[in-house]
Amino acid sequence: MIRTVATTPYLGQKPGTSGLRKKVKVFQQPNYAENFVQAVFDVVERPAGSTLVLGGDGRYHNRTVIQQAIRMAAANGYARVIVGQGGILSTPAASNVIRKYGASGGLILSASHNPGGPDEDFGIKYNIANGGPAPEGVTEAIYARTQTIDRWLTVDAPDVDLDTVGASRVGDLTVDVIDAVADYAELMESLFDFNAIRENVAAGFEMAFDAMSAVTGPYAVEILERRLGFPQGTVRNGVPLEDFGGHHPDPNMVHARELFETMFGPDAPDFGAASDGDGDRNLIVGRNRFITPSDSLAMLAANAHLAPGYAAGLKGIARSMPTSAAADRVADALGLPCFETPTGWKFFGTLLDAGKATICGEESAGTGSDHVREKDGLWAVLLWLNVLAVRRISVDALAREHWARFGRNYYARHDYEAIAKDKADA
């Protein structure tokens, strides 16, 4: 039976470029998460009998909100919820699941690369049927609804077993708990030459991958160690933790310091990489060579044809406004269109849906392609591995060849973390 719970609006539930992000204690207030989820259900497009995808990066409060969202989906007329095992779905994997199973959309519970834990951050964002972040028209409608909301709907039902793959019922709703890794790994195998990478590994190619105790751990272990043959232990910090081990899961020189020390140390492997809290960002570093995200986009675009999924060539390259023009030089040399967008992956989604671009990237360590509608950290790592395997070249040598051919772009990026919102806005 559907139960209606009376509520009143909370101020400030305005989604940003990646949904609503606040401290866990804010989300733990009575009706806070429920108001936002109900606002989403009230305004988004969804035909009768729709499927909702649900999952998150495993941070603290993830499971609590998933259980409540399942009950609310049952009360709001969804026919099916697909949830990642353990409540886990990386952001790119969630995009893939939405697209693969024809869902009307999905709720991704993440605060991306922000710290996790009882005193840290939590977030909810809605992705639409193309698998990408909700466009501004949708997020504005959600925000408007949060300002007038007076009730949310639920059903009385016990918690779902999130840890066992299989189907169960909540009211009239079917809940399918799926292997969070299998669909994504299958997609990656369709894009990249796993045989070439395996041969390179067998020939002695070594790498280190830091999953930062975040969501990509299970994906990286399955793909890198089990399917590609890298030795056990190649993936560091591979178990997702609710507080990311007390670390800040942002793949940069500060927060992935141990990886940098490894890659610039005396016994450095050939290749180093990391991903962030929800799996959509990447860090690429070779032996004694850091590759900036802007350069990584350009270098991948110049070599993408070496991967089977991109052998037919690129339709175009897109970059965000703050990202260096290195990709523009590649596009010009290859005779490809190049697009500059505002910050926010949703703007790339418009180009991808229109068939105008194949590869996109931004200076904040996000790179991706038309295989999903989100940036994808592990995808970027695998494309690098594919290119290095085919060319049998080091990261440093590839970078130097690239700069010799296309020129080298320089830019500065300054990060300011944990600033009060009013001062940040100013």
Side-chain angles (χ1 to χ4, degrees):
M1 194 172 98
I2 296 172
R3 183 160 61 87
T4 302
V5 181
T7 190
T8 53
Y10 280 95
L11 295 175
Q13 288 195 323
K14 185 178 177 66
T17 56
S18 295
L20 180 67
R21 291 184 191 171
K22 303 285 182 183
K23 293 295 181 186
V24 167
K25 285 181 167 50
V26 174
F27 271 99
Q28 287 176 323
Q29 296 175 97
N31 300 333
Y32 191 91
E34 291 86 349
N35 278 16
F36 187 77
V37 171
Q38 186 64 54
V40 171
F41 291 165
D42 283 349
V43 306
V44 300
E45 286 186 18
R46 49 187 179 102
S50 286
T51 295
L52 177 75
V53 170
L54 187 55
D57 60 15
R59 67 179 58 235
Y60 186 85
H61 204 47
N62 197 63
R63 285 173 177 259
T64 302
V65 175
I66 284 176
Q67 297 288 1
Q68 192 69 296
I70 288 171
R71 288 186 277 265
M72 292 179 67
N76 279 275
Y78 282 94
R80 183 187 186 198
V81 164
I82 300 174
V83 59
Q85 187 177 11
I88 296 279
L89 272 179
S90 76
T91 292
S95 180
N96 178 49
V97 171
I98 291 169
R99 294 166 65 81
K100 179 174 180 175
Y101 294 99
S104 63
L107 288 171
I108 301 175
L109 310 183
S110 170
S112 188
H113 53 289
N114 293 13
D119 298 314
E120 296 297 349
D121 296 344
F122 189 78
I124 306 177
K125 75 169 182 170
Y126 184 75
N127 281 33
I128 58 174
N130 77 343
E136 288 175 314
V138 175
T139 56
E140 287 295 337
I142 293 169
Y143 175 53
R145 180 65 183 128
T146 67
Q147 295 175 295
T148 61
I149 196 160
D150 59 358
R151 59 92 182 100
W152 54 272
L153 306 178
T154 189
V155 297
D156 292 316
D159 283 356
V160 171
D161 177 4
L162 297 177
D163 296 307
T164 305
V165 171
S168 59
R169 300 281 288 181
V170 175
D172 295 328
L173 176 78
T174 298
V175 180
D176 282 315
V177 177
I178 65 166
D179 180 340
V181 174
D183 289 324
Y184 179 83
E186 182 183 299
L187 176 64
M188 294 301 107
E189 286 215 53
S190 74
L191 296 172
F192 301 117
D193 189 343
F194 274 33
N195 284 331
I197 300 171
R198 276 192 285 263
E199 288 171 9
N200 206 24
V201 174
F205 184 88
E206 296 178 331
M207 80 171 287
F209 182 87
D210 190 347
M212 307 193 86
S213 303
V215 78
T216 47
Y219 297 88
V221 168
E222 172 63 26
I223 295 171
L224 297 176
E225 295 184 1
R226 295 189 187 131
R227 301 197 183 198
L228 291 174
F230 283 103
Q232 194 173 350
T234 295
V235 177
R236 307 173 175 193
N237 303 311
V239 177
L241 301 176
E242 288 193 334
D243 65 349
F244 307 120
H247 298 296
H248 193 133
D250 190 357
N252 61 31
M253 285 182 253
V254 176
H255 300 300
R257 183 178 170 184
E258 286 183 8
L259 180 66
F260 270 88
E261 288 174 350
T262 296
M263 296 308 300
F264 285 83
D267 300 313
D270 301 282
F271 185 69
S275 191
D276 72 328
D278 67 328
D280 61 0
R281 296 185 182 208
N282 70 86
L283 166 72
I284 303 298
V285 55
R287 184 184 291 141
N288 297 313
R289 172 61 65 195
F290 167 56
I291 303 294
T292 72
S294 295
D295 271 351
S296 182
L297 169 64
M299 291 169 188
L300 290 179
N303 290 279
H305 63 280
L306 300 173
Y310 307 95
L314 308 180
K315 295 170 183 171
I317 306 169
R319 63 167 177 83
S320 64
M321 180 278 293
T323 302
S324 91
D328 305 44
R329 297 179 181 278
V330 173
D332 185 55
L334 301 182
L336 294 171
C338 189
F339 301 91
E340 181 182 88
T341 69
T343 299
W345 204 265
K346 65 188 85 172
F347 300 109
F348 290 138
T350 307
L351 292 166
L352 297 171
D353 283 348
K356 291 181 178 294
T358 306
I359 285 185
C360 312
E362 53 193 16
E363 104 301 335
S364 56
T367 328
S369 86
D370 57 359
H371 69 291
V372 289
R373 293 297 179 269
E374 286 280 6
K375 52 198 169 197
D376 189 346
L378 207 45
W379 169 90
V381 172
L382 290 168
L383 182 48
W384 265 99
L385 288 174
N386 194 148
V387 170
L388 296 174
V390 172
R391 293 191 58 185
R392 292 294 174 110
I393 193 173
S394 72
V395 174
D396 181 65
L398 185 146
R400 291 176 184 276
E401 282 189 17
H402 183 93
W403 295 324
R405 178 180 175 189
F406 298 103
R408 187 172 184 181
N409 290 66
Y410 292 84
Y411 68 101
R413 173 184 159 115
H414 300 266
D415 286 279
Y416 303 88
E417 295 178 356
I419 293 177
K421 186 176 185 304
D422 57 338
K423 290 184 172 62
D425 288 341

